Structures are given as structure tokens and as C-alpha cells.
Amino acid sequence: MVEGTTGRVTRRRVRTRANLLDAAFSVFAAKGFGHVSIEEVCEAAGYSRGAFYSNFSSLDELFFALYRERADLIAEQVSGVLALDGPGLDVPAAVDRVTDVLLLDRDWLLVKTDFLVYAARDPEVARTLLEHRARLRQAIADRLARARGHTALPAVLGDTDGAAHAVVAAYDGVTTQLLLDRDVEHARAWLKQLLTALLTDGSGTPDHRRN
């Protein structure tokens, strides 16, 4: 009987933690980290401060956990969409799938930008951000390496690691513009055009230029 009770408590705690993280994501995206209180997170989640402190010791710890959870999900999604086809790389099709994942959620970009600023002032936190970026680059580099002998990369990019760095850098630039102009469709089209040109000779680039 004790085991059954413990199981119910554990499941309830897992659910409470998940709800707090979901609520925090919405509040952080709307107001920004540094402008949010524990009370606001608790109110959004429908829990007491006691429920908060039974799961997190501070707002910083919650923010750290939130970033790691979402970043891991994004890395897994990118790896998943890059594993969908055979050894030959259909660059426009792969770019379509990756940009659909990466540009899906502007709220995530807001939270991620807050985390970048947070990490820039804390070397310990920066390691987590660097780890996430390395995972994204590795997923891209692994896919490009799998296409060797089937799909040639422009020589200027160097090896697959260099190409992966270039892809992430392009994504950073496009998403910065997205945060300012809020035009998701243009950002998605521009990233597709940019990455297709970057990974090929440019001849397969779709025409998404604005007039």
C-alpha cells in the first residue's frame, strides 16, 4: 500500500513540475526573465509557493530547467527530421524540414534569447548553452557526413563541421531579425533560401525575395 501511495505522489509531483515549467514558459516569453516573480509563475500554473519550492529552489533553477528541457526537445526534433531520408541529401527538402522545426515557435526564441543574455554573464550557465548549440551542430554535421560521396558541399565551407557552423550562424542571424520584425513567414522563407544557397551552388534556391 505504501508503494502505491508513493507512486501516486511521485506522479503528482512530476505533473506539478511539468505544469510549472509550462506556465513559466508562457510567462517568461511574455515578460522576460528578470521581470517575472515566483508568484506570477505560481498564479499562471494554479499552484501555491509551497508547490513551487517543492520542485525548485529558485526562479533561476526553474529557468535553467526550462531551457534545458526545451533545448533538448529542439535538438531531438532536428535530429529526427534530418534522419528521414537516405544517404543522398536532398538539400531543399532537408532545409524545409529543419526550418519548419527551428522557426516553429517565436516564444521559444524569446526565452532562448533571455537565456543567452543570462549565460553571457555566468560561465557555468554558458556551458549548458554551448552544449545545446554543439548538439545542434553535431546533428547537422552527422547528416552532412552521411551524404558524403552522394552530395557535394561548396568547398568554401571546408568540412562538414564547418558547414554545420555556417548553418547555425545563418539561423542565428535570421532569428534575430524575426524577433524584431515578427514576420515568421518571411523569416522561414529567407532561412530556406539562405541555407539552400549556402549548402549548394545556389541554383536550387527558391525565389522568396521581397520586392
Side-chain angles (χ1 to χ4, degrees):
M1 191 68 177
V2 173
E3 289 182 2
T5 302
T6 302
R8 287 196 296 274
V9 170
T10 301
R11 286 194 295 272
R12 184 164 65 245
R13 182 167 183 174
V14 168
R15 186 167 60 250
T16 299
R17 180 183 174 87
N19 289 341
L20 283 166
L21 287 169
D22 286 344
F25 180 79
S26 299
V27 176
F28 286 141
K31 303 187 71 172
F33 183 69
H35 300 280
V36 173
S37 67
I38 290 174
E39 288 77 11
E40 287 173 301
V41 173
C42 291
E43 182 179 352
Y47 291 121
S48 65
R49 286 176 64 92
F52 179 94
Y53 284 114
S54 70
N55 288 276
F56 303 102
S57 63
S58 65
L59 207 56
D60 280 18
E61 183 186 338
L62 180 149
F63 189 52
F64 191 89
L66 172 65
Y67 176 82
R68 183 178 285 277
E69 177 188 78
R70 298 284 173 143
D72 286 348
L73 175 61
I74 295 294
E76 289 168 9
Q77 288 176 328
V78 170
S79 296
V81 299
L82 288 175
L84 290 178
D85 51 12
L89 181 62
D90 182 341
V91 171
V95 165
D96 279 352
R97 292 197 300 270
V98 170
T99 54
D100 284 344
V101 170
L102 289 176
L103 280 173
L104 191 61
D105 190 352
R106 186 174 177 274
D107 283 350
W108 161 244
L109 296 178
L110 289 167
V111 171
K112 189 176 75 167
T113 301
D114 273 349
F115 196 81
L116 172 61
V117 174
Y118 183 38
R121 295 187 172 95
D122 188 328
E124 189 73 26
V125 177
R127 277 194 281 274
T128 292
L129 181 59
L130 290 170
E131 177 187 297
H132 165 59
R133 291 173 67 83
R135 283 186 62 192
L136 278 179
R137 288 197 305 269
Q138 191 60 52
I140 295 166
D142 288 349
R143 180 62 189 91
L144 295 175
R146 191 157 59 93
R148 271 183 175 163
H150 302 272
T151 306
L153 291 173
V156 70
L157 295 177
D159 58 13
T160 55
D161 286 338
H165 273 81
V167 168
V168 173
Y171 170 68
D172 287 342
V174 170
T175 53
T176 297
Q177 183 66 29
L178 168 60
L179 286 172
L180 296 175
D181 65 22
R182 299 169 178 259
D183 190 340
V184 177
E185 291 311 308
H186 177 243
R188 196 185 309 279
W190 175 233
L191 185 58
K192 289 178 179 181
Q193 181 181 12
L194 184 59
L195 293 183
T196 301
L198 183 67
L199 296 174
T200 66
D201 61 4
S203 62
T205 305
D207 187 6
H208 289 300
R209 296 180 184 85
R210 279 181 163 180
N211 295 325

